[in-house]
Amino acid sequence: MNERQILLGNEAIARGIVEAGCEVATAYPGTPSSEILPAVAAFADALATDTAVEWCTNEKVAFEVAAAAGFSGKRSAAVMKQVGLNVASDALMSVAHFDIAGGFLLVVADDPGPHSSQTGQDSRSFAMFAKIPCFDPSTAAEAKEMVFDAYELSERHHLVTMLRPTGRVDHCRQDVELGEVIATERPAQFKKDIKRWVCLPANVRTSHPRLNEKNRAIREEFEQRYDKYNYELPAEGEAKLGIIAGGVSFAVVKDLLDSWGRTDIAVLKIGTPVPLPLGKVEDFISRHDNVLVLEETYPVIENQLHNREAVKGRWNGAVPSAGELLPEIIEGIILDALGESPQSPEDDLLGKAVEELGIRPNPPMMCPGCPHRASFLAIREALPKGIFPSDIGCYTLGVNQKTVDSVICMGASATQPSGFYLAHKVDSNERPIVATIGDSTFFHMGLPGLVNAVYNRHSFVLAILDNSITAMTGGQPNPAVGSKLRKGDEGRSVDIAGVCRGCGVEYVKTVDPYNVPSAKEFVKDAWDHAREHREPAVLIFKHPCMLLRCEQERIPVAVDPEKCIGCRYCIDFFNCPGLRFDEQNNKAYIDERFCVQCGVCIAACPQNAIVKQEEGAE
């Protein structure tokens, strides 16, 4: 009997990638996919495989690196979250037409809800758009098994295959069977063939019809050969309802029906939604009078039906058109489809527990001692009338300090200031502009915007908040750090200041964000330079992330109640978990449970009411 282990869904996917003989695995971190690549490295180390495992500067780079390994005959994998696929989509649309030599697996983790994304998009729609097959797992164990089938399908038809887990599959835990590594014995052999590897328009005229033929053949395979992913759980007797469910929605439906003890509902599970095994689905619909479709996040199964008027789904409002299909939501949808009422009123158990414990939930905010908080304070106080574009990740939390005015997507903090500058320039108007971007995001997609601003001479300050980590996604390294994932594998750090100077930026200075008074003067000076010289200026606010647990000077603080006037400036514009406000006494105070004694808040009080305490003082 093979060994079994309880794994995170993302770890199960990683284990499948290594066992399947993947030799080149790349990724850019993003919730809910971030744990996959580190787990690939850990399993590769444990199983002593030669797998190359690398974080890349962005998802497009990761996709293209893995694609070229596939061109060379290797099994490869590129991993990302759903919005990362937007970045990689240009390459995906081209490579989808290629006759790939090896097996190429694209893992895209979707975030229905969303919980940690700027969009609630569905990557299965992208699979339809690119005409590549998609596997949609409902459990961690199934996700691992699908990795093997995705590679075999990729090699049989010479195209990219997609595995699309959603957050609850990525982050569930399940007992998973472990296997041995498949000995692929595929030496890298790139055979030159411009008709195969160069996306000339003339070649697309033959590759596109070939891609269509691959889709027709794969659809037929999904009808005939993948019953382990596409199967029916029939009702006992006549079914009152037929449910077509894909992904984690199937697992939720099965749990609900088991808990209710109902056997009068038939379920058709679909694990390969693109291309849809249409014959199997339409046969199920023809045998049931009342059919409901449950899938996340878009109506991908619904939209492939020839006649969706025969089903209840998103098209007619039976299923919400946005948001995550949580168990309680699916329960209500099923009961509505049956024309039944809940057997017992829903109890808000969580709400009651929170009330009994006296817990006051806090909105998302930066960690205590986060250097970004100090950077945002310095920027706002230096140029209070400025425009502040920013980026996704920890920086978005700068909205709590009123120092983030606009966020679009990764890297847009380096392009938006150009638009704000030009909009005011054509009116012969001038307004300070300070954009904030993280170190990892700067390498991800910030560089093109900065080069564009240098080329076109746009006046603004780009503040790069360098905390030596990709913090929001769990602490991955980036090019500025230089470390790599596999044991014994060495990288090389890339100097951010040198990169900026190489892009043509003449004003590049490094700032200690904890020294707020000094940082404020740097911000003013950088803006003066940008305005006078008609060019961008760069400030690098450099301090390690608190998640790195670096040793730093401890500065105990207290609020002097005699000086505190209850203006709430420290609460509204500094926004630290270590600072609280006593509404009854109209005074701020230090919450020792969260304060890390960084001492930065001393600079945040306009009344000088936050003061340094001597060690041991009460």
Side-chain angles (χ1 to χ4, degrees):
M1 186 175 178
N2 289 331
E3 181 185 354
R4 301 186 69 87
Q5 189 174 338
I6 295 176
L7 297 178
L8 196 69
N10 280 341
E11 294 171 338
I13 293 170
R15 179 75 187 200
I17 289 172
V18 175
E19 287 182 10
C22 172
E23 294 181 270
V24 176
T26 58
Y28 184 83
T31 306
S33 72
S34 300
E35 298 87 357
I36 296 176
L37 199 71
V40 170
F43 286 127
D45 285 337
L47 297 170
T49 71
D50 294 328
T51 317
V53 185
E54 295 189 347
W55 289 119
C56 294
T57 48
N58 66 33
E59 294 85 356
K60 182 173 183 289
V61 174
F63 182 91
E64 292 165 351
V65 170
F71 299 169
S72 305
K74 295 290 188 184
R75 280 192 169 182
S76 61
V79 181
M80 58 199 67
K81 68 180 296 183
Q82 89 277 10
V83 289
L85 184 57
N86 299 342
V87 179
S89 61
D90 196 10
L92 169 64
M93 297 306 293
S94 291
V95 173
H97 290 72
F98 286 18
D99 236 18
I100 299 171
F104 183 14
L105 175 64
L106 171 63
V107 182
V108 188
D110 281 5
D111 182 20
H115 296 278
S116 184
S117 305
Q118 64 268 43
T119 69
Q121 66 194 67
D122 188 327
S123 297
R124 299 176 305 161
S125 296
F126 243 127
M128 286 185 64
F129 187 38
K131 299 184 176 180
I132 62 171
C134 177
F135 291 82
D136 191 11
S138 59
T139 67
E142 187 178 56
K144 178 176 181 283
E145 187 173 4
M146 284 179 168
V147 169
F148 294 89
D149 287 303
Y151 272 121
E152 289 174 4
L153 192 72
S154 173
E155 291 173 346
R156 191 158 59 249
H157 293 278
H158 304 287
L159 84 173
V160 189
T161 54
M162 178 188 290
L163 177 70
R164 196 287 303 229
T166 52
R168 277 178 287 153
V169 173
D170 293 301
H171 294 151
C172 72
R173 288 192 179 275
Q174 187 177 3
D175 181 27
V176 175
E177 183 174 315
L178 307 183
E180 302 294 327
V181 177
I182 295 175
T184 55
E185 297 180 355
R186 295 181 178 84
Q189 290 183 336
F190 177 69
K191 297 177 181 177
K192 295 187 178 183
D193 183 349
I194 59 172
K195 289 185 177 178
R196 191 173 185 181
W197 308 123
V198 182
C199 57
L200 290 169
N203 294 342
V204 177
R205 292 185 193 116
T206 56
S207 63
H208 194 177
R210 186 175 64 227
L211 178 59
N212 289 339
E213 186 53 41
K214 289 177 181 179
N215 264 259
R216 281 191 284 272
I218 291 169
R219 186 191 298 275
E220 187 63 27
E221 287 191 27
F222 283 171
E223 294 273 12
Q224 306 294 334
R225 297 181 51 180
Y226 289 86
D227 286 348
K228 58 183 175 181
Y229 303 137
N230 305 317
Y231 57 86
E232 182 175 341
L233 301 174
E236 293 181 5
E238 185 177 354
K240 291 185 177 177
L241 177 67
I243 300 175
I244 301 168
V248 76
S249 295
F250 167 77
V252 174
V253 168
K254 192 168 183 307
D255 284 348
L256 284 172
L257 298 187
D258 289 346
S259 67
W260 292 341
R262 295 197 69 145
T263 58
D264 57 349
I265 298 175
V267 182
L268 176 64
K269 178 188 181 299
I270 294 297
T272 61
V274 180
L276 184 67
L278 197 56
K280 194 180 289 284
V281 175
E282 292 192 333
D283 172 69
F284 181 83
I285 294 171
S286 70
R287 292 184 284 107
H288 298 85
D289 296 329
N290 187 15
V291 179
L292 173 68
V293 181
L294 293 169
E295 55 184 327
E296 290 182 320
T297 307
Y298 291 175
V300 171
I301 293 175
E302 279 181 43
N303 286 347
Q304 293 180 81
L305 300 176
H306 289 147
N307 178 16
R308 61 179 181 177
E309 291 184 2
V311 302
K312 296 175 179 173
R314 287 194 162 86
W315 78 273
N316 57 7
V319 179
S321 58
E324 188 174 17
L325 293 182
L326 298 168
E328 57 270 30
I329 293 175
I330 287 182
E331 177 180 351
I333 294 170
I334 294 174
L335 293 175
D336 281 346
L338 287 164
E340 299 178 4
S341 302
Q343 294 180 354
S344 59
E346 183 179 334
D347 291 328
D348 183 9
L349 298 178
L350 177 61
K352 289 181 179 177
V354 168
E355 185 177 349
E356 288 175 4
L357 293 170
I359 296 172
R360 293 185 304 167
N362 285 324
M365 60 176 65
M366 295 175 193
C367 304
C370 175
H372 297 346
R373 179 180 292 105
S375 302
F376 282 122
L377 178 67
I379 291 167
R380 190 182 184 284
E381 292 199 340
L383 299 169
K385 295 184 179 179
I387 301 174
F388 306 123
S390 191
D391 228 294
I392 67 165
C394 298
Y395 328 100
T396 314
L397 299 175
V399 295
N400 297 328
Q401 295 178 253
K402 287 72 176 175
T403 320
V404 170
D405 293 324
S406 61
V407 174
I408 298 176
C409 62
M410 285 193 79
S413 57
T415 50
Q416 295 175 81
S418 290
F420 288 124
Y421 165 74
L422 291 173
H424 290 77
K425 178 174 178 262
V426 296
D427 289 350
S428 300
N429 194 0
E430 184 179 88
R431 193 167 171 188
I433 303 165
V434 183
T436 46
I437 188 171
D439 44 353
S440 183
T441 309
F442 174 68
F443 287 110
H444 178 281
M445 202 54 82
L447 276 166
L450 181 60
V451 172
N452 179 68
V454 171
Y455 163 51
N456 288 300
R457 305 199 66 168
H458 297 158
S459 300
F460 63 85
V461 178
L462 181 64
I464 302 174
L465 310 188
D466 178 6
N467 60 359
S468 304
I469 194 173
T470 310
M472 182 66 96
T473 53
Q476 297 79 17
N478 63 56
V481 179
S483 62
K484 297 189 69 176
L485 283 166
R486 292 220 50 186
K487 290 179 179 175
D489 208 359
E490 293 184 2
R492 179 178 175 181
S493 63
V494 180
D495 176 52
I496 294 177
V499 169
C500 294
R501 293 189 182 98
C503 290
V505 181
E506 295 189 357
Y507 187 107
V508 182
K509 294 187 178 180
T510 301
V511 181
D512 175 10
Y514 268 22
N515 188 342
V516 174
S518 172
K520 287 164 58 177
E521 296 305 314
F522 273 110
V523 173
K524 293 176 183 175
D525 186 60
W527 168 243
D528 287 343
H529 176 94
R531 183 181 55 190
E532 291 172 9
H533 294 80
R534 288 187 54 230
E535 61 185 20
V538 171
L539 289 176
I540 302 170
F541 288 78
K542 190 172 181 61
H543 191 96
C545 176
M546 297 307 291
L547 296 176
L548 294 173
R549 303 287 190 268
C550 296
E551 287 293 327
Q552 62 183 36
E553 182 185 6
R554 288 185 175 274
I555 305 174
V557 295
V559 177
D560 184 340
E562 298 298 324
K563 294 181 178 178
C564 179
I565 62 171
C567 68
R568 295 184 60 96
Y569 186 90
C570 60
I571 304 296
D572 295 336
F573 296 99
F574 194 63
N575 197 240
C576 179
L579 272 167
R580 299 280 180 170
F581 195 78
D582 185 334
E583 299 288 350
Q584 187 172 4
N585 295 319
N586 199 36
K587 304 286 183 186
Y589 68 94
I590 304 298
D591 190 335
E592 302 291 349
R593 297 174 301 168
F594 300 105
C595 179
V596 297
Q597 301 181 344
C598 67
V600 178
C601 58
I602 293 173
C605 178
Q607 304 300 321
N608 297 318
I610 303 176
V611 295
K612 179 180 178 181
Q613 273 197 319
E614 296 302 323
E615 289 279 1
E618 295 184 357

